Amino acid sequence: MDDRPVILLVSEENADYLLDEFGRYARDYDLRTAHSAAESGQVVKSLPSGQQLALVVTESVLPDMDVLETFHHLRKYVPTCRRVIAAHWSRFRQDAERLRSGLAKGKYDAYLLMPRGQRDEEFHTAICELLSDWNQTVAPPVVEALRVVSPTSDGLTLAIRD
């Protein structure tokens, strides 16, 4: 089983492009793609027990469901993942007005312009900050700083642990 957290990329037309852009995260994250809201739900439901969903990145328009409704459905399965809309440059301004209130209400975490160049560090800085936030608040520690080992759960052991 792959125990790396999952980054799910959802786009009808640009899934392969996003997968290529997110290639820099492949060492630490299991990158998955979906082409629709329904397919993204299937991917999330099929994750092995214990594998976490860290981030969902979706285009601003999906073929079968509104993007905010998609996030709502995915959140039922994984309430802790971070959610990003990466709008294609041809739709960025057009969709911003419609989606702005969802961002203000916390229905998703960031509205970004889909990367357009080889090194779109503004986009990737935002992604890294969201992954860092997820990692600090949800993910189990990779390296334990301290472990209390005791044969019993007596008062002293519990006091030390706390």
Side-chain angles (χ1 to χ4, degrees):
M1 178 185 102
D2 192 346
D3 61 351
R4 295 174 299 160
V6 171
I7 295 176
L8 176 58
L9 309 167
V10 186
S11 172
E12 181 180 26
E13 297 176 5
N14 295 299
D16 290 338
Y17 177 76
L18 285 171
L19 186 61
D20 185 55
E21 276 296 322
F22 276 80
R24 63 170 66 183
Y25 305 98
R27 187 186 79 190
D28 298 318
Y29 295 89
D30 180 5
L31 303 177
R32 308 273 184 106
T33 59
H35 296 89
S36 66
E39 192 178 331
S40 69
Q42 293 169 354
V43 169
V44 170
K45 290 177 194 176
S46 71
L47 293 178
S49 178
Q51 189 173 26
Q52 295 182 298
L53 180 64
L55 179 68
V56 175
V57 179
T58 182
E59 276 206 70
S60 56
V61 175
L62 296 175
D64 56 345
M65 188 181 295
D66 180 76
V67 67
L68 297 181
E69 189 177 350
T70 302
F71 283 149
H72 176 74
H73 287 292
L74 292 177
R75 194 160 190 144
K76 290 178 185 176
Y77 299 104
V78 187
T80 57
C81 74
R82 300 306 183 255
R83 298 143 308 173
V84 173
I85 297 174
H88 189 268
W89 65 271
S90 63
R91 299 195 57 93
F92 185 79
R93 289 184 139 194
Q94 175 184 348
D95 294 338
E97 188 64 36
R98 174 178 62 85
L99 296 169
R100 185 173 291 127
S101 66
L103 180 61
K105 293 176 184 174
K107 295 185 182 294
Y108 63 101
D109 301 296
Y111 184 71
L112 304 173
L113 180 62
M114 190 178 292
R116 293 178 68 182
Q118 286 184 330
R119 292 175 302 279
D120 189 337
E121 297 311 322
E122 183 176 309
F123 175 86
H124 290 290
T125 296
I127 296 298
C128 285
E129 288 176 358
L130 287 165
L131 290 171
S132 178
D133 179 60
W134 175 84
N135 191 49
Q136 291 175 14
T137 58
V138 177
V142 175
V143 177
E144 290 181 317
L146 175 70
R147 179 183 287 182
V148 177
V149 179
S150 173
T152 63
S153 293
D154 63 4
L156 180 58
T157 301
L158 296 174
I160 291 171
R161 184 200 65 201
D162 293 342

